[in-house]
Amino acid sequence: NEKVEVELQGLLSLMNKDAGVKSFLASPFADLSTRQAGVEALIKNGKFSKITSSFLRVMGENRRLNHLGPVVQNYLELMKAQRGEVEVAVTTAVEVDNASRKRLETAIKKFLKPNEKATITNSVDASILGGMIVDLGDKTIDMSV
């Protein structure tokens, strides 16, 4: 569900930005009424759909809010996989220019299934003298020097 995915992305972002929310969710020791009140406040402020709200309530009732981050992250990864999105991390010594990026995209497409689409992120690592390291799903192609 696209709406749930967007809501959970926002929740994950909130968890990473707001120390109070992160602390509340990380603590498995709060009593049931405290967890319920916290979850209801989170739902109200986030204006979440019925599905997301029910999910958060169940996580709270079962003392699993401290696992919310990894559960949400896994859900987001499953949604990307369902759409055929493959994350590709490219590490180079310098930022990749547009011409090189287009050649890289063409080369990466050869490793993908016809229904898959690559989402490429480039990071710079000054310790690499030249070449690149490409992480594509569970494959790593190290062409660095």
Side-chain angles (χ1 to χ4, degrees):
N1 185 324
E2 217 173 284
K3 181 171 178 50
V4 172
E5 183 178 8
V6 170
E7 291 173 344
L8 292 178
Q9 285 173 333
L11 180 59
L12 198 58
S13 177
L14 177 65
M15 290 167 56
N16 291 330
K17 291 178 186 173
D18 189 319
V21 170
K22 188 174 190 172
S23 175
F24 167 73
L25 295 173
S27 176
F29 304 111
D31 62 36
L32 182 59
S33 62
T34 303
R35 282 196 317 274
Q36 286 175 328
V39 167
E40 291 306 320
L42 194 59
I43 291 169
K44 183 179 178 186
N45 290 336
K47 299 178 183 165
F48 295 122
S49 66
K50 187 175 181 178
I51 294 172
T52 303
S53 299
S54 295
F55 166 68
L56 291 173
R57 286 183 185 110
V58 168
M59 292 289 286
E61 290 166 8
N62 291 299
R63 294 183 181 269
R64 297 293 185 260
L65 290 173
N66 57 326
H67 298 291
L68 189 59
V71 169
V72 168
Q73 194 63 46
N74 286 332
Y75 175 80
L76 297 175
E77 288 176 21
L78 287 171
M79 291 301 291
K80 285 180 183 178
Q82 182 182 0
R83 287 189 300 269
E85 294 177 14
V86 177
E87 290 189 25
V88 180
V90 178
T91 307
T92 55
V94 295
E95 191 67 36
V96 176
D97 62 28
N98 285 338
S100 297
R101 185 173 181 87
K102 289 192 185 307
R103 287 195 310 272
L104 182 61
E105 287 171 356
T106 302
I108 287 172
K109 283 182 184 177
K110 294 176 184 176
F111 288 93
L112 302 176
K113 296 175 186 168
N115 62 336
E116 293 179 326
K117 181 183 183 294
T119 304
I120 302 171
T121 58
N122 180 224
S123 61
V124 176
D125 181 351
S127 68
I128 296 175
L129 300 176
M132 66 182 69
I133 302 169
V134 180
D135 289 309
L136 179 112
D138 61 350
K139 298 178 185 111
T140 298
I141 305 163
D142 189 344
M143 302 172 284
S144 65
V145 180

